[in-house]
Amino acid sequence: MSEFVEVVSKVAVLVFVVTCMVTAGLGLAARDVFAPLRPRVIFLALVVNFVVAPGLAFALVKLAALDRPYAIGLLLLSSAAGAPFLPKLAVLAKGDLAFSVGLMLLLMVASVAFMPVALPLLIPGLAAGPWPLLRPLLFTMFVPLVFGMLVRSCSEQWAGRLRPKFAFVSNVSMVLTLALLVGLNFNAMMGTFGSGAVAVGVVFVSLTTAIGYALGGPSARTRSVLALGTGQRNVAAALLVAMENYSEEPGVAVMLIVSTLAGLLVLVPVARWSARRSATGENSTAPTELIAEERTP
């Protein structure tokens, strides 16, 4: 029975990632992606997400002397940026929604290129070449994202019809994925308390969020978005790599789940604090579909 549940959980992860990427692509147009991005912002976003975040995670796992599976989990998470839920957090923070869409796509694409190169350097013993790491990210994240964007470029009407359906499947599969992973690893998750894993996860998210905020530019609305985009890692991409390479070490997936859930304890209050500090209540130039979705009760 447990083997069957494990298979279902892996399928649920794949469905979640693919439908999440298609949903994001169906809501994106080229003008929405590139208009808010400037060279300085791109440079800072790439540095903080792919230099500072992995370096900080590497330092934390050494200082805290985390068990190997937990250390691997945090390093995987630190290397994966561009969480698909960034626009939703940006709305909560009253940040620049158009900037959040462009930043999300930039970091997603950069993660697909970065992880196969960086992970063998960060994680001793991960001997896989770039292609085995790149393949699942390419075909389950990048290709579905491009597919969604192509559909939108050909017909905004069809994109508008399809997006709610893919979003529904994505949400259901996300809930199923979390329920199955928590159920399969419940005892292991309870075992993280006292190991330092939860505390390290909270510290990692807190520090990356603070650094992202500091480098987010003069506007409070872009600072909040870069802060949230840096603190919220792409757990979907990290889970894909964990499934492919560490299926025999459940502690890796456990660390990903625990760190993500613990991170929400940091990110949601930060988003609400940013909303209170927002200088204006004007809507950003975000895609109409995203704004309409966030206003729907």
Side-chain angles (χ1 to χ4, degrees):
M1 182 63 179
S2 61
E3 292 181 0
F4 173 76
V5 175
E6 287 181 11
V7 172
V8 173
S9 68
K10 291 181 179 179
V11 172
V13 170
L14 293 175
V15 172
F16 163 58
V17 175
V18 171
T19 55
C20 194
M21 295 301 103
V22 174
T23 302
L26 290 171
L28 294 172
R31 64 180 182 275
D32 304 320
V33 173
F34 300 111
L37 297 177
R38 297 292 182 267
R40 179 177 179 275
V41 173
I42 292 174
F43 174 75
L44 291 175
L46 293 176
V47 168
V48 74
N49 277 278
F50 299 111
V51 177
V52 175
L56 180 61
F58 188 81
L60 286 173
V61 299
K62 294 298 183 182
L63 290 173
L66 285 182
D67 293 343
R68 182 177 181 273
Y70 301 151
I72 291 173
L74 188 65
L75 291 170
L76 286 179
L77 199 62
S78 72
S79 302
F85 303 116
L86 177 57
K88 294 183 182 295
L89 276 178
V91 169
L92 182 62
K94 297 190 186 304
D96 189 326
L97 191 51
F99 175 58
S100 76
V101 172
L103 181 64
M104 175 189 69
L105 182 59
L106 170 70
L107 297 179
M108 278 183 184
V109 174
S111 293
V112 172
F114 176 78
M115 293 179 74
V117 176
L119 287 176
L121 301 176
L122 286 170
I123 304 175
L126 182 60
W131 177 243
L133 291 171
L134 177 62
R135 184 178 60 244
L137 298 172
L138 186 65
F139 288 109
T140 59
M141 293 187 67
F142 185 71
V143 171
L145 183 68
V146 172
F147 170 77
M149 294 182 70
L150 287 175
V151 171
R152 178 186 164 88
S153 68
C154 294
S155 174
E156 291 192 20
Q157 183 179 7
W158 270 104
R161 290 179 179 177
L162 292 173
R163 194 167 186 272
K165 295 178 174 59
F166 276 95
F168 175 78
V169 175
S170 177
N171 291 335
V172 171
S173 59
M174 178 189 69
V175 173
L176 180 61
T177 296
L178 287 175
L180 291 173
L181 289 175
V182 170
L184 285 169
N185 302 290
F186 182 78
N187 291 333
M189 289 180 66
M190 292 298 100
T192 61
F193 293 97
S195 68
V198 176
V200 169
V202 171
V203 170
F204 172 75
V205 174
S206 300
L207 290 177
T208 51
T209 301
I211 295 169
Y213 187 85
L215 298 178
S219 169
R221 301 181 73 195
T222 57
R223 282 202 305 271
S224 64
V225 171
L226 187 54
L228 296 169
T230 306
Q232 187 189 39
R233 312 309 290 174
N234 194 334
V235 67
L239 278 171
L240 283 175
V241 177
M243 285 168 46
E244 288 284 327
N245 296 274
Y246 298 104
S247 58
E248 302 300 320
E249 296 187 69
V252 176
V254 167
M255 185 62 182
L256 294 176
I257 299 168
V258 167
S259 296
T260 300
L261 295 177
L264 291 176
L265 299 177
V266 176
L267 295 174
V268 172
V270 167
R272 294 190 179 279
W273 174 80
S274 297
R276 290 195 297 269
R277 289 178 58 90
S278 180
T280 66
E282 297 177 359
N283 290 329
S284 68
T285 56
T288 304
E289 294 91 339
L290 282 172
I291 295 175
E293 180 183 337
E294 295 302 338
R295 286 180 177 174
T296 303

